[in-house]
Amino acid sequence: MLSQSRSRILLLPIFRRTTVSPSAALPNNVTYLRPSPDELLGQHLLDIIQRRQLHALFQPIVHMQSGEIIAYEGLVRGPSDSPLHSPLNLFRVARANHLAREVEYLCRRIVLERFAELKLPGKLFLNVSPESLVRQPDGVQGETLGYIHEFGINPANVIIELTENQPTYDYELMREAVLHYRNMGFQIAIDDLGEGFSSLRLWSELRPEFVKIDMHFIQGIDHDPVKLQFVRSIQEIADKSNTLVIAEGIEKAAELLVLRDLGVAYGQGYHLGRPHAQPAKALPAEVVKVLGRNGVAVYPQRAADRNAVSIRKLLHEVATVPPSMNNNEVYEIFMADPKLLIIPVVDGGQPLGLVSRFDMLDHFARPYQRELYGKKPCALFMDPKPIIAEADTSLQDLSRRMADSDAHHLFNGFIITDGGRYIGMGTGHDLMREITQMQITAARYANPLTQLPGNVPINEHIDRLLESATRFWVCYVDLDHFKPFNDVYGYRRGDDVIQLTGNILAKHADHGRDFIGHIGGDDFVILFQSEDWEARCRAILDDFATAITDFYSNEDRERGGYISEDRQGKKVFYSMMSLSAGVIRVEPQQFYSHHQIAARAADAKKQAKKIHGNSLFLDRRMQSTESSPILNA
């Protein structure tokens, strides 16, 4: 809280000179003192601080497997009828009027006090800016801990959530501050991973107990393979660094299930609970039901791009400096361009090293460093062993080099050369993005005609279903008389039929539960988790029977088929194309690999093809003593 004497000083009005418009009734050239809009808001903010007119809201953080609320994030709002109701406006005005520290500490006090009053279960995520963490002003050292003791809260139940609003370069001070808080019993979380200025480096430097993934990568993850791979990569890093991941911004059940299946520990978002002054202590029943649902989410797929990509695609033209340029001059280059992070050092076209903005600022922030080294050559501060690669190097080869190198190369990037001469730079971020896309596309072998996933992702999904120990149905779909149709009507018309089939399968599947794959040629598979799979299959057969007639000539439609030659060259009459669908039901622990399932599904398809016309066959072996029924469509 502000002291009484400081409050009186801050409440003194601040004025600026303004000239009354000549069109006004008062005489011309008369100057009056009138507060500016920012100054008025500053005075309004002071009134809010003195009267403690901020109020706390709490949003639940949920365990993704159990559905239990394990923590709440404390949030603050200004008065509802005030232009400072929004926290963005509140802190913007606070910074403009040099009141950010006062506002932040008042927010902490109000959140902690209200959390204790409500007796909420679990932990509290308390927002703290990195600036306040490293710049403890006089008289407030340990103030947060004092609040906690005052309200009877266990420090072990409070997580300091670092919310990044501007670049943070002094990582040494950050590490010291985090150690200070940990020694007091607090844990650390990093907010908005992937959105901030340097959140990946913060993770590397501070080793927090929790990281929150920015909502941009969460919303729509159920149909965006790039977001899926980003979160999967973050989860893999988290597993190896003993960090727990929290997904922010969950707004749909489909997003929730994908994140649960990726192994993300915790979730937060409107679908789980909105910020509220008196938040619920348990999730809504429908959300608990979704989390407890057996089965797996269907991951989004993407078409494969088999074209080899070189690192030339990542080339950025970055101006260089000679090794003789002194450190003061290099420092001024960085200061002139806030977005510039790396400067290559090149002599006669030959790359020698890289000067990092972080290293330069770190050196010059220390006492007497600039006086001692400012006029010395920049080669003194450069990394003399950067990663250098020729422009025709493949993305895969460079990514392997990066993985085998020290971590700082990921942040510094790499030099690209042509015939050994410098031509530009590439960033670790761009490399990660391209490799992520390649991992999605190249590993999945999507069919180029239908854009449906092929054998690799089909087998991956079957394995996930087997691991989940859930019941599902495998439907193997095949076109009857497709080859002679191709011979008569041509491959272009045949391709159109293949695409038609894929579209009909997609139309009748539940894309949140049912996986559609294109094995190759005229063979497809649907992995159903929908209990109404049979009705969906019959709708597929009906739609196909109606649509396929448009692909024949009037003459062939009238006689119900067409004439083509068989392998011996004889004229043979073929009926119009139809679909055969063989289905097996898979019970938990019945099969142990996708190979077993593929063999059994192929047998069911063969049985379906023995039936004339559009047909559906369910293989009931190992399910009961009933004979295997044949269901005609």
Side-chain angles (χ1 to χ4, degrees), residues 309-337:
V309 180
S310 73
I311 65 171
R312 190 180 291 274
K313 181 179 181 180
L314 310 181
L315 180 68
H316 293 274
E317 293 184 3
V318 180
T320 67
V321 298
S324 59
M325 180 178 286
N326 68 47
N327 289 312
N328 281 333
E329 292 173 304
V330 174
Y331 177 85
E332 292 303 325
I333 294 174
F334 279 127
M335 291 301 98
D337 185 357

Side-chain angles (χ1 to χ4, degrees), residues 483-494 551-557 559 561-563 577:
K483 185 181 183 304
F485 175 88
N486 253 353
D487 294 340
V488 171
Y489 284 93
Y491 287 103
R492 181 61 180 271
R493 185 70 65 89
F551 291 83
Y552 290 88
S553 66
N554 290 333
E555 180 184 357
D556 287 343
R557 276 199 297 269
R559 62 183 178 182
Y562 54 97
I563 297 174
M577 274 188 293

Side-chain angles (χ1 to χ4, degrees), residues 209-413:
E209 285 77 14
F210 302 89
V211 292
K212 285 188 169 185
I213 302 179
D214 180 66
M215 66 175 62
H216 167 77
F217 299 98
I218 302 303
Q219 293 172 356
I221 191 174
D222 54 308
H223 56 74
D224 190 326
V226 174
K227 291 181 178 181
L228 175 79
Q229 187 59 39
F230 179 89
V231 174
R232 175 183 275 157
S233 299
I234 292 301
Q235 184 59 48
E236 289 175 357
I237 297 171
D239 288 339
K240 294 178 181 178
S241 59
N242 295 319
T243 304
L244 295 170
V245 174
I246 302 171
E248 290 188 295
I250 301 172
E251 295 189 351
K252 298 187 302 182
E255 296 164 351
L256 182 66
L257 290 175
V258 168
L259 294 162
R260 180 198 67 176
D261 288 0
L262 286 174
V264 173
Y266 305 118
Q268 182 178 356
Y270 284 179
H271 185 68
L272 305 174
R274 291 174 176 266
H276 200 278
Q278 292 185 316
K281 297 182 180 180
L283 283 182
E286 59 270 21
V287 177
V288 174
K289 183 179 180 181
V290 168
L291 281 173
R293 191 175 81 186
N294 288 334
V296 299
V298 177
Y299 289 163
Q301 307 292 324
R302 187 167 177 171
D305 179 9
R306 293 184 174 85
N307 296 325
V309 180
S310 73
I311 65 171
R312 190 180 291 274
K313 181 179 181 180
L314 310 181
L315 180 68
H316 293 274
E317 293 184 3
V318 180
T320 67
V321 298
S324 59
M325 180 178 286
N326 68 47
N327 289 312
N328 281 333
E329 292 173 304
V330 174
Y331 177 85
E332 292 303 325
I333 294 174
F334 279 127
M335 291 301 98
D337 185 357
K339 295 182 179 180
L340 184 62
L341 300 179
I342 291 290
I343 297 178
V345 181
V346 176
D347 187 15
Q350 301 300 311
L352 303 180
L354 296 172
V355 179
S356 161
R357 180 189 196 95
F358 301 118
D359 289 340
M360 175 68 73
L361 296 183
D362 181 59
H363 278 293
F364 277 15
R366 299 175 187 176
Y368 309 114
Q369 291 289 298
R370 188 164 186 178
E371 291 80 358
L372 289 172
Y373 301 108
K375 295 183 179 180
K376 293 187 179 297
C378 65
L380 185 67
F381 287 166
M382 77 177 184
D383 174 7
K385 295 182 179 180
I387 290 183
I388 301 174
E390 282 288 295
D392 59 359
T393 303
S394 72
L395 292 173
Q396 298 95 325
D397 288 343
L398 182 60
S399 101
R400 282 191 286 268
R401 285 185 61 188
M402 293 285 277
D404 293 336
S405 302
D406 293 338
H408 74 274
H409 290 300
L410 183 62
F411 303 106
N412 288 352

Side-chain angles (χ1 to χ4, degrees), residues 139-151:
V140 296
Q141 185 81 316
E143 188 168 343
T144 301
L145 189 60
Y147 296 157
I148 287 173
H149 289 322
E150 178 183 346
F151 303 132

Side-chain angles (χ1 to χ4, degrees), residues 1 68 71 80 100 306 335 364 367 431 442 476 487 529 544 553 608:
M1 291 294 293
E68 177 187 3
S80 59
R306 293 184 174 85
M335 291 301 98
F364 277 15
L431 178 63
Y476 195 151
D487 294 340
Q529 293 180 81
F544 183 85
S553 66

